Amino acid sequence: MARYGFLPQVSVGLLLAVAAASSIPAQTPAPMVNPRIDQQPGPFSYYSHSVDEIGVMDAPMGTEVTPEGSLYTGYGELLFLIGPERTPIEPRIRTLERGYLPVVHFTCQQYGIDYRFTFFTARLDDGTLVNFARVVEKNTNSVPTRAVLTAATRYQNDTANGTGVGERRFPRPVDDGKPGDYRQPGVKFDPDWVYSFSAHAFLRSGKVFYLFPDSPDAKMLTEKQVYNIQIDNTPRKLDVFPTSLVGLTSYNNILAPGAERTVTFLMPLTPVQEGKETASLLEANYSRELNKTIAGWEKILNAGMQIETPEPKVDNTFKASLIYDLLARDHIGDDYIQTVNKLHYHAFWLRDASDIVDMYDLTGYSHYASQDLDFFARFQQPDGLFLSQPGQYDALGEVLWIYGQHYEMTHDLAFAERVFPAVERAVSWLEKARAADPLHLIPASFVKDNEYVNGHITGYNLLALGGLKNAALLADAVGQPQKASAYRAEYAAYRADLVKALARCTKMDGGSLPPSLDGDCGGQDWGNLLGTYPEHIFAPDDPLITATLKMVQSKYREGLTTYGTLRYVHDYLIMKNTLTEIERGEQQQPVKDLYAILTHTSSTQEGFEFAIRAWGDRDFADNLPPHGWFAAEYRIALRNMMVRSDAGQVHLLSVMSPAWMGPRKTIRVERAPTPYGTIGFTLTQPDDHSAQLALDMQWQHKPDAIWLHLPWFAEVSGVWVDGKAAAHESGKVRIPAGAREVRIAWTRRADAPNWSYEQAVEQYKQEYRRRWEIYMHGQAAH
């Protein structure tokens, strides 16, 4: 779990402590939210309050689109009110341009007037970062009706948890100058600010906070005037709170039936000096910048792996997840810093970044992976240990592993030669640390995160073993076979020591891998889920892996893994299991996981991390999405369902949903990278009884075998590869490396489930309503 302890927020540690010491009876249910929210028009959104992020790739900061539909940065907040009463808005249902681009849309209605909002961020030609906000008002009544739109600013909203940070906002300003640490450029509230208007801008102490190219009908420094006397916009200090509305502009007209009016605002992410910079911003063209933004992101998306299924939610989340991770990157000086998001997780963790880098490599973006990896070396200590947060020794194994994986995917020998000295120092640290440790493992630590337990952490050792495997791979690559042999010998001895330490715990734990290796072997399930993926420390069918999956799945709530004694649901931890299940050749459980994961996203394809109680109020509080680790894991999981490599073999369509089978339905994959080359295919289904798979496999060198997996819900009567009959057994068929076409004769099994994203959402809503009735009335409604 990416988390930082120094921020003024409720930490996981505090939450777990409250759970342990709480006097609330165990049977007291979690607070819920009225399920009427699920009747709101538009796509389903799991969260009871919505937060979105807009920005540009590699920028030093981003913008939060708050639950109230305002634009929040390190410098303040631009918000919008509608109607003659200046009614606040809270648009819970938002959508993205084309379903996946970082252009946020939502609509609010009042008195028959639709207010359609669009927000996006652009980098202008001179490098200025600016938020564009456009509101299109439309009178849907049959009579003329007044439309009133008001823009206003404040420094922050109210705080709800006693920290001083606004509710569902990120803390700011923060910047200690150390690259990778949490940072949010901005300013503190200043009671001496001087507020003023120019012809087309609201200024705070001479700097433009926002601009209004469309002249308003009224401008007001404060929300109300003393005794309602004449408006006074004389530049001056104001005796206001950080939460007070200042700098209001109002657009107030009667619209004819069906008539529209468009109002545009610009908000520089960093306030600019009035003058030449203001003129430059006013010259920025909304439509041109929007088209540039769309075209720029589409170019990036089209350069990598493509996945198309019959379900838009599946595909849009895959695309949006790449964008969310690219939005999270900082480019500061020569450094590309892969953070988790630009909101409250605007910081660097070696573990999160390693998985994000792996996602870039696995889905066709090795250029970004290489840029990110250059930053990792900064975190190697003089003794060889890689560490980005104190005591979090998982970083060592993560770095060694991703160095090896990046080489395996790219065959970039110059990269391998550049990082290998660091690899040697890291392995040397590991060997010395193990020699000094009583269990001959990674040293014990107490990190109040992830496993949240004091002692030897199972996951740290699984990751270190995976790192050793990849250190040996790199040694071979750079022409040091003796080092490779030594590293493999170290791996064998280390694995034996881990197995010995596990023996005591597995007797107590039903034969499953425990979170820790001391005392009662307790802790939160986390790294113990990494026994077979991403590296086969234990074979996929090892009883330890089977027992671990069964144990963790028994704790699922709402179809997701849980975290903490209060039974919080966790949106991406489950994907460690999903990836393992795919590796084991399972099909049904990964599909269930896929739909559970997607059900717990927003209407803008965001995944969260923590803080939501199972069957509770669906409120992530200050744990703001989108979460970059979720995004990476989702893309890797969907990619592996389509194309994956393992032990020299390539697997196609390891997992297929029943919703993807049927006449005229298509599954398409383009430019899927593997260590052996790229793969593309298109599965078409002309009718209920047949499918055709067109293959485009471009090998740099051939894998040992290629397997096409057949869905468990289909009765397959025949398979032909390039016109020749092919044997199929155990749910798969082997195809040659030069194959161009596979034809399949199949029918849907009578007992095949009707699983789909829409069905999963409907099931969730029904169950949530049933539990709401019990929560409110003590029994379900009849």
Side-chain angles (χ1 to χ4, degrees), residues 15-36:
L15 289 168
L16 295 179
V18 169
S22 175
S23 60
I24 299 175
Q27 67 270 21
T28 301
M32 298 184 74
V33 63
N34 194 313
R36 279 200 303 264

Side-chain angles (χ1 to χ4, degrees), residues 529 532-533 540 545 549-550 553 556 574-594 641 644 654-655:
L529 309 185
T532 204
Y533 188 90
I545 302 301
L549 286 170
K550 183 177 179 181
Q553 288 164 356
Y556 282 9
I574 186 175
M575 284 187 268
K576 299 184 191 304
N577 282 352
T578 308
L579 289 161
T580 296
E581 292 152 6
I582 296 168
E583 203 80 356
R584 284 162 56 91
E586 297 182 30
Q587 293 191 9
Q588 296 189 45
Q589 188 61 44
V591 175
K592 292 180 182 179
D593 293 354
L594 173 68
M641 290 178 183
R644 65 184 174 91
S654 293
V655 177

Side-chain angles (χ1 to χ4, degrees), residues 53-56 62-63 65 71 78 80 95-97 101-106 117-124 128-135 264-269 284-295 297 327:
E53 178 185 340
I54 56 174
V56 300
T63 298
V65 183
L71 299 176
L78 175 63
F80 301 93
T95 59
L96 299 178
E97 182 77 19
L101 298 174
V103 179
V104 174
H105 302 284
F106 61 82
F117 290 78
T118 299
F119 299 148
F120 69 95
T121 306
R123 191 194 305 270
L124 303 184
T128 302
L129 298 173
V130 59
N131 292 321
F132 285 85
R134 173 163 283 186
V135 187
T264 303
F265 304 91
L266 291 83
M267 178 191 186
L269 272 69
N285 181 276
Y286 173 93
S287 296
R288 185 175 76 91
E289 296 301 332
L290 176 60
N291 290 336
K292 279 175 55 181
T293 298
I294 292 171
W297 284 113
L327 286 177

Side-chain angles (χ1 to χ4, degrees), residues 357 361 369-374 376 399-408 410-421 423 474 478:
V357 164
D361 276 332
S370 180
Q371 290 175 333
D372 284 359
L373 283 170
D374 285 344
F376 285 33
V399 174
L400 292 176
W401 166 75
I402 195 56
Y403 279 174
Q405 289 301 293
H406 181 67
Y407 171 75
E408 185 173 48
T410 64
H411 309 291
D412 184 346
L413 183 57
F415 169 80
E417 290 173 341
R418 187 168 69 251
V419 302
F420 192 69
V423 169
L474 288 168
V478 300

Side-chain angles (χ1 to χ4, degrees), residues 411-595:
H411 309 291
D412 184 346
L413 183 57
F415 169 80
E417 290 173 341
R418 187 168 69 251
V419 302
F420 192 69
V423 169
E424 291 179 292
R425 294 194 299 273
V427 174
S428 176
W429 179 90
L430 178 60
E431 291 170 340
K432 292 174 184 176
R434 287 204 328 109
D437 184 77
L439 299 182
H440 304 299
L441 302 175
I442 286 271
S445 63
F446 185 21
V447 178
K448 299 181 180 181
D449 201 355
N450 293 2
E451 288 86 355
Y452 207 91
V453 65
N454 188 4
H456 291 83
I457 308 299
T458 303
Y460 290 6
N461 291 282
L462 293 172
L463 288 165
L465 283 164
L468 270 175
K469 276 191 171 186
N470 283 271
L473 181 154
L474 288 168
D476 280 331
V478 300
Q480 296 202 35
Q482 290 182 329
K483 270 277 170 66
S485 178
Y487 290 168
R488 290 186 176 102
E490 174 68 9
Y491 171 87
Y494 187 1
R495 186 183 183 279
D497 288 331
L498 176 60
V499 169
K500 181 179 178 181
L502 283 168
R504 182 183 68 86
C505 295
T506 53
K507 291 178 182 177
M508 298 187 293
D509 229 9
S512 63
L513 293 170
S516 69
L517 299 164
D518 303 293
D520 65 359
C521 306
Q524 166 66 40
D525 295 311
W526 194 276
N528 55 316
L529 309 185
L530 301 174
T532 204
Y533 188 90
E535 295 289 344
H536 290 187
I537 311 305
F538 296 96
D541 60 355
D542 190 296
L544 277 172
I545 302 301
T546 304
T548 303
L549 286 170
K550 183 177 179 181
M551 176 271 296
V552 177
Q553 288 164 356
S554 72
K555 302 177 186 178
Y556 282 9
R557 300 292 183 272
E558 300 187 24
L560 293 182
T561 40
T562 50
Y563 190 91
T565 54
L566 283 178
R567 290 301 192 205
Y568 297 90
V569 288
H570 199 290
D571 205 15
Y572 66 80
L573 180 58
I574 186 175
M575 284 187 268
K576 299 184 191 304
N577 282 352
T578 308
L579 289 161
T580 296
E581 292 152 6
I582 296 168
E583 203 80 356
R584 284 162 56 91
E586 297 182 30
Q587 293 191 9
Q588 296 189 45
Q589 188 61 44
V591 175
K592 292 180 182 179
D593 293 354
L594 173 68
Y595 292 136

